[in-house]
Amino acid sequence: MQRIDFITVVHSADLLLWRLQARSMAKYMAADVPRSITVIANDPSGEVCLDYLNANLDAYGLHRPLVKVRTAADFLDAPSALPGWRSQQVLKLLAGAASADAWIVWLDGKNHFLGPVDYGSFFTEDGRARTIYTKKKLRHDRRWLAHSLDYFGMSYHWLEELGPLTYTPYPMRADTLRAMLADIEARGDSVEALFRRRKRYTEFYLLYAYVLSQHGEADAIYDSALPWPATIWKHGPPTLERHIERFERLGGPFFAVHQRRRGTFLQADREALMRLWLDRDLMTEAEAEDLLGVPAVVSGGKTPWWRKLLRP
């Protein structure tokens, strides 16, 4: 059975979510699934983030011996020269290239599992990375993909085609990643220098564009059969009833909560999230309260201008 190298880049704002991720891996991942687990502290708080990570590694349960904690300085020539989001992307690529195994899964601090996961959750029998093909409609997505297509000399017609998801969990073959980095170096570039430029690249759009440049299609490396990764982003959805209902109906194991949503949830949504975690014994009620922050206050909104005219 193939085993996977898991890589997580963590910021201090993600620490409570990261602990939830570790516990979910302990609960839902069999001993023969991970080959290694690399946790990278990418945070200006330095020792504070590292101390928390090292103090809570037992959250991985039976996987604890497989875990290594690293810092951004272990991979980057100039960690402070890249903004946090860009350095996070470069760290994923460089840590993945250092993987000794053929199979990589990248996670963010926001990801965790609410059901069993194994090799087949991320890869097909023939070794292709599971994803979901989507249309790239948002302006920033199209711009970032266009920059990556430009870099590898590919046509813009791919902007109109369905392409793989560009968020975690993101599986990939290590040989494909290493080949892309070698291609970048052959152009006289480094991935770290690439992400310092004004043009916006992203790690996963670069990989997709590289795959297209080598194979002329996504299906050579990707397979559109990943269970839906339910993700509560920093800008939405505003309420979670339909979101959680869809997750439970589809039965996928992947869930994620962006750390910037802390303190933004209405009471009903807080209770629904807490049930997901407490019913699975992933945390205590007090820990869930701490992670979610205080309930959001329902605003009455402004009085319409025309109602003011009706006042006596």
Side-chain angles (χ1 to χ4, degrees):
M1 179 179 178
Q2 301 289 352
R3 300 179 71 180
I4 297 171
D5 287 344
F6 289 89
I7 298 168
T8 301
V9 182
V10 181
H11 186 273
S12 61
D14 298 322
L15 290 174
L16 297 179
L17 286 163
W18 163 79
R19 185 178 63 184
L20 173 59
Q21 177 187 116
R23 289 178 179 175
S24 74
M25 293 175 79
K27 184 176 183 68
Y28 289 117
M29 194 174 290
D32 59 356
V33 176
R35 191 196 70 88
S36 70
I37 300 171
T38 300
V39 182
I40 305 171
N42 183 36
D43 192 278
S45 70
E47 294 301 321
V48 174
C49 186
L50 274 176
D51 288 348
Y52 185 92
L53 293 173
N54 285 315
N56 287 275
L57 291 180
D58 285 345
Y60 283 103
L62 77 167
H63 306 307
R64 170 65 181 84
L66 304 177
V67 182
K68 289 185 179 179
V69 177
R70 310 287 297 276
T71 69
D74 293 329
F75 298 96
L76 301 178
D77 293 332
S80 61
L82 284 168
W85 185 55
R86 291 199 183 192
S87 64
Q88 175 180 323
Q89 296 178 69
V90 176
L91 286 169
K92 288 176 183 174
L93 296 175
L94 295 180
S99 168
D101 209 2
W103 320 102
I104 301 166
V105 171
W106 286 292
L107 302 170
D108 286 331
K110 65 179 180 288
N111 299 113
H112 54 279
F113 307 111
L114 296 179
V117 290
D118 57 18
Y119 173 84
S121 303
F122 304 103
F123 296 96
T124 61
E125 289 185 4
D126 61 357
R128 288 179 296 147
R130 293 193 186 277
T131 185
I132 297 174
Y133 289 162
T134 63
K135 190 72 175 289
K136 309 308 175 189
K137 296 179 180 180
L138 297 178
R139 180 181 299 177
H140 63 266
D141 278 311
R142 293 176 66 84
R143 182 173 68 250
W144 296 338
L145 176 54
H147 290 170
S148 296
L149 292 170
D150 272 341
Y151 189 81
F152 289 111
M154 300 303 295
S155 166
Y156 280 3
H157 90 266
W158 291 106
L159 292 171
E160 311 309 323
E161 301 293 329
L162 297 177
L165 290 180
T166 56
Y167 56 89
T168 53
Y170 195 100
M172 179 49 57
R173 294 176 57 106
D175 56 355
T176 299
L177 169 62
R178 292 191 189 104
M180 182 191 78
L181 296 180
D183 187 301
I184 291 171
E185 290 177 3
R187 298 164 187 261
D189 269 328
S190 73
V191 69
E192 195 169 343
L194 199 62
F195 276 76
R196 289 200 195 105
R197 294 180 188 164
R198 187 172 181 179
K199 273 193 173 183
R200 284 292 185 94
Y201 302 97
T202 73
E203 74 281 53
F204 299 144
Y205 277 134
L206 274 174
L207 276 164
Y208 173 43
Y210 175 75
V211 167
L212 294 176
S213 75
Q214 298 301 301
H215 302 281
E217 62 172 1
D219 286 348
I221 299 297
Y222 298 97
D223 176 73
S224 185
L226 186 76
W228 179 58
T231 303
I232 301 171
W233 297 104
K234 60 183 177 181
H235 298 306
T239 60
L240 304 185
E241 181 180 1
R242 293 179 61 187
H243 200 70
I244 292 177
E245 184 278 329
R246 183 185 180 194
F247 168 77
E248 292 179 331
R249 173 168 46 84
L250 295 176
F254 306 130
F255 206 86
V257 181
H258 197 284
Q259 51 89 4
R260 289 193 183 179
R261 289 301 301 272
R262 187 173 187 269
T264 70
F265 295 112
L266 300 176
Q267 186 61 32
D269 291 335
R270 284 167 51 85
E271 291 172 0
L273 284 171
M274 289 175 71
R275 282 196 300 272
L276 288 177
W277 299 328
L278 299 183
D279 289 352
R280 292 167 170 82
D281 295 322
L282 289 171
M283 61 174 63
T284 66
E285 185 170 349
E287 288 171 338
E289 292 276 1
D290 192 23
L291 191 156
L292 293 171
V294 298
V297 177
V298 180
S299 173
K302 293 183 179 179
T303 303
W305 66 270
W306 54 269
R307 282 195 178 274
K308 297 178 183 178
L309 300 178
L310 301 178
R311 293 174 180 170

